[in-house]
Amino acid sequence: MPFDIQGHRGCRGLMPENTVPAFLKALDLGVTTVELDVVISKDRQVVVSHEPYFNAAFSIAPDGKPVEKKDQKSLNLYQMNYADIKRYDVGSNGNPAYPEQQKLKTHKPLLSDVIEQVEAYRKQKQLPAFSYNIELKSEASEYNVSQPEPAPFADLVQAVLAKRISPERIVIQSFDFAVLRHYKKQIDAGTYPKVRLAALVQNLRSPEHNIDELGFTPDIYSPYFKLLSQDKIAKLHERGLRVIPWTVNEIDDMKRLKSWGVDGLITDYPDRAKSL
């Protein structure tokens, strides 16, 4: 398989994260996978967003005032209908942590809208098929607070994907292993189509420990890049896993990891990864 360059949240370093302009730009830069995050709104829509609230680093309320840090968590997307979510501007202020990011007025899209617009763009530009790596933003402490539990969450996502994207183009990833276990169970039962499953990891435990905890061997192991060594990559390959770390933004790190044998990279700067 070709080296997999995944545009993180589209291309957060260059465009407002998790927005349609970011995904289109990522395709222009030749990514093989668009990576994005999803949460659920009060009216059970699948919304593309990293946090289940409006991040004060870049969000502007409908009245034109920036969201304040003290208020951000109270703007719980799970308690808001999508029509209200869409009124917030998440691009005009830019993100101070990403000075190259273009500032433009844009909103949090629905997953269905992303697929529709990105697929139309792919056909118009005659681009090769790419994959979607969809992260279900889930943690046990937030069940029924800012998100549904894993089973209804996954069902909502799967309902959007069905008939829109062929399963071989889909990766489902999560830090919440309960989400991945649910997906595996549904795939094995034939309730969901076979998609690739990726275990996201940011803990210091060994890959062996994490895979044992997951309870099955996923298709992809995706740790924070600083947790990897050449030896760990080799051992994961022996178990038949692809290794795709996050979030790799410096060219020296990209080159080192590629020389160690990773199968791809998740990056905010797909333009920098092009040189690989």
Side-chain angles (χ1 to χ4, degrees):
M1 290 179 84
F3 193 72
D4 189 10
I5 293 176
Q6 302 199 9
H8 185 236
R9 308 187 199 177
C11 51
R12 176 172 57 167
L14 307 170
M15 285 290 197
E17 66 175 62
N18 277 322
T19 64
V20 170
F23 301 126
L24 300 186
K25 176 76 171 173
L27 292 185
D28 285 340
L29 292 168
V31 300
T32 42
T33 300
V34 292
E35 191 272 356
L36 54 98
D37 309 280
V38 293
V39 302
I40 304 298
S41 65
K42 185 180 180 181
D43 51 351
R44 297 299 181 266
Q45 302 286 316
V46 182
V47 182
V48 179
S49 177
H50 183 261
E51 292 86 15
Y53 56 83
F54 278 102
N55 189 328
F58 52 80
S59 302
I60 302 170
D63 64 5
K65 292 178 182 158
V67 170
E68 291 189 39
K69 187 114 192 213
K70 64 180 173 59
D71 301 326
Q72 64 179 8
K73 296 269 176 85
S74 66
L75 296 168
N76 180 348
L77 306 188
Y78 192 50
Q79 302 301 331
M80 297 171 72
N81 287 327
Y82 182 66
D84 296 319
I85 292 169
K86 195 176 177 180
R87 294 174 62 217
Y88 284 72
D89 175 357
V90 293
S92 293
N93 272 353
N95 184 332
Y98 299 91
E100 289 177 46
Q101 190 185 97
Q102 191 179 325
K103 296 176 182 179
L104 55 97
K105 188 172 183 181
T106 187
H107 59 270
K108 291 185 185 292
L110 293 174
L111 177 59
S112 55
D113 293 338
V114 167
I115 293 170
E116 191 178 300
Q117 292 183 56
V118 167
E119 288 302 308
Y121 191 78
R122 175 175 80 91
K123 286 172 186 146
Q124 176 203 331
K125 296 272 185 167
Q126 298 182 315
L127 300 170
F130 53 86
S131 293
Y132 291 82
N133 185 1
I134 300 165
E135 180 182 347
L136 277 66
K137 296 305 296 185
S138 178
E139 50 187 298
S141 62
E142 291 295 314
Y143 295 172
N144 302 311
V145 179
S146 69
Q147 64 165 94
E149 293 188 26
F153 193 166
D155 284 347
L156 288 166
V157 173
Q158 205 49 48
V160 173
L161 296 174
K163 304 190 188 75
R164 284 189 173 92
I165 299 290
S166 56
E168 66 273 8
R169 293 178 60 199
I170 296 167
V171 178
I172 296 292
Q173 65 176 1
S174 193
F175 285 104
D176 184 355
F177 286 3
V179 166
L180 299 176
R181 283 192 284 266
H182 172 75
Y183 253 91
K184 176 79 165 86
K185 194 172 162 189
Q186 299 305 308
I187 290 167
D188 290 349
T191 320
Y192 289 178
K194 169 77 179 89
V195 297
R196 286 165 284 162
L197 299 177
L200 284 167
V201 175
Q202 60 185 351
N203 64 60
L204 296 171
R205 296 190 292 271
S206 70
E208 292 76 14
H209 179 106
N210 286 319
I211 293 165
D212 287 348
E213 188 194 323
L214 178 59
F216 68 93
T217 302
D219 302 280
I220 299 163
Y221 192 78
S222 279
Y224 176 49
F225 80 95
K226 288 187 178 173
L227 299 176
L228 277 178
S229 65
Q230 198 162 5
D231 181 55
K232 281 180 185 169
I233 294 164
K235 284 181 175 163
L236 286 159
H237 281 159
E238 280 168 23
R239 294 186 70 160
L241 284 93
R242 284 169 66 77
V243 182
I244 302 178
W246 56 273
T247 298
V248 192
N249 288 339
E250 300 305 327
I251 289 172
D252 287 349
D253 293 325
M254 293 176 182
K255 286 179 176 168
R256 184 181 73 257
L257 287 157
K258 190 163 192 270
S259 74
W260 283 357
V262 295
D263 300 282
L265 301 168
I266 300 172
T267 179
D268 290 316
Y269 297 94
D271 55 328
R272 297 178 187 175
K274 279 173 88 171
S275 64
L276 301 176

